[in-house]
Amino acid sequence: MAKAVYIHIPFCTQICHYCDFNKVYLNRQPVDDYLIALKKEIHMTLEEAPTSLIETVFIGGGTPTALNESQLEFLLESIHQTLPTNTLKEFTIEANPGDLNGEKIRLLKDGGVNRLSLGVQTFNNELLKKIGRNHSVQQVYETVDAAKKYDFENISIDLMYRLPGQSMKDLRHSLLEFKNLQIPHASIYSLIIEPKTIFYNLMRKGKLPLPSEDVEADMYQFIIDEMASYGYKQYEISNFSKPGLESRHNLVYWNNESYYGFGAGAHSYLHGIRSSNIGPVNHYIQAVNAHRLPKREKRSLTKQEQMEEEMFLGLRKTAGVSVSKFTQKYGIDPLHHYDKQITQLVEKGLLEVGDGQIRLTKKGLFFGNVVFQSFIEV
């Protein structure tokens, strides 16, 4: 039974230069029709695959807080009307610091949201412009202060490194500013250049000055050391939190557990089947209004594929993969099944085995993709 729900809001007031998520400009979009269709999709899905226990809801995008107050209120009411939210432990919404005013924050609080994830990326106004963000550093401070006034304590921010023209000095400044905000969580990602993005086109033209791989590695090591010195535990390759305030929702993904995905382009994992929704907003609405689930693709995973995912998703966590839980779940001891891969990776200093766990070493954190690839059969 899935205990987690992801809800996708694909609308943005501005498209970031690095973003390859399913998104569209907000202007002239059928937002109200989309929200009605979203409510219908949740209802139809729960009729087909019911659950009585939902522990986490994550509203992502796009930019969910680009919705106006009445639209946000309708969305939150829809969630409570269609899902068993009385068992919720974590209810997160992604937000752009420039979009959140006092009225929206109050709506979120009254609507049961108890965790905010703010897309900050950097505390350098010039870098914000370079990457296509439309908020300012000042708006970050104002948003966090306003959220705290409404008793939001569980606040996370996203930061990025390896940005065009970014220096170690810039990164150090951003981490210090994060520390000064006194919030419990940060997700800190290296910039990845994805196809069909503005940055990808610039890179192909030789017009994207990125830090070298050596500098990127230095930045990551600096982040790990600095966050530890602030009292934040690294519990996943890119995530840091105060004890007990890890993202419950994201841990569902890394633990390879089931979850519902609703909205245009959203992904689900239910009963060993991974599926994705239709991406274009109007096509999504049309499918739901025709009383059919808006699925674009469905794929049933073999037991081997499920075990592969258990390994490479679980190894993202610093705690690693539990040998006993893996064995209980699949009836196979991973130390025996993946003996060759684990032995080779231990010899290279990328993996370690101990206390019933298989985990990345400190060196392995820098070569995660090499480790993960080792567990995928070609």
Side-chain angles (χ1 to χ4, degrees), residues 208-244:
L208 193 67
L210 297 174
S212 68
E213 289 185 0
D214 287 344
V215 171
E216 179 186 4
D218 290 343
M219 286 180 165
Y220 185 45
Q221 185 63 65
F222 177 74
I223 290 165
I224 292 171
D225 295 341
E226 199 73 356
M227 293 298 285
S229 73
Y230 299 163
Y232 291 81
K233 177 186 177 183
Q234 182 181 18
Y235 69 99
E236 190 268 347
I237 285 178
S238 304
N239 283 268
F240 305 80
S241 76
K242 290 291 188 179

Side-chain angles (χ1 to χ4, degrees), residues 277-291:
N277 279 356
I278 295 167
V281 170
N282 284 314
H283 293 178
Y284 167 84
I285 294 171
Q286 289 167 11
V288 174
N289 287 343
H291 303 289

Side-chain angles (χ1 to χ4, degrees), residues 24 51 68 104 148 188 193 198 231 308 312 362 375:
V24 291
T51 183
N68 63 35
K104 286 185 180 180
K148 287 180 177 180
I188 309 177
I193 308 300
I198 294 172
E308 289 172 359
F312 70 71
K362 290 181 179 179
F375 293 96

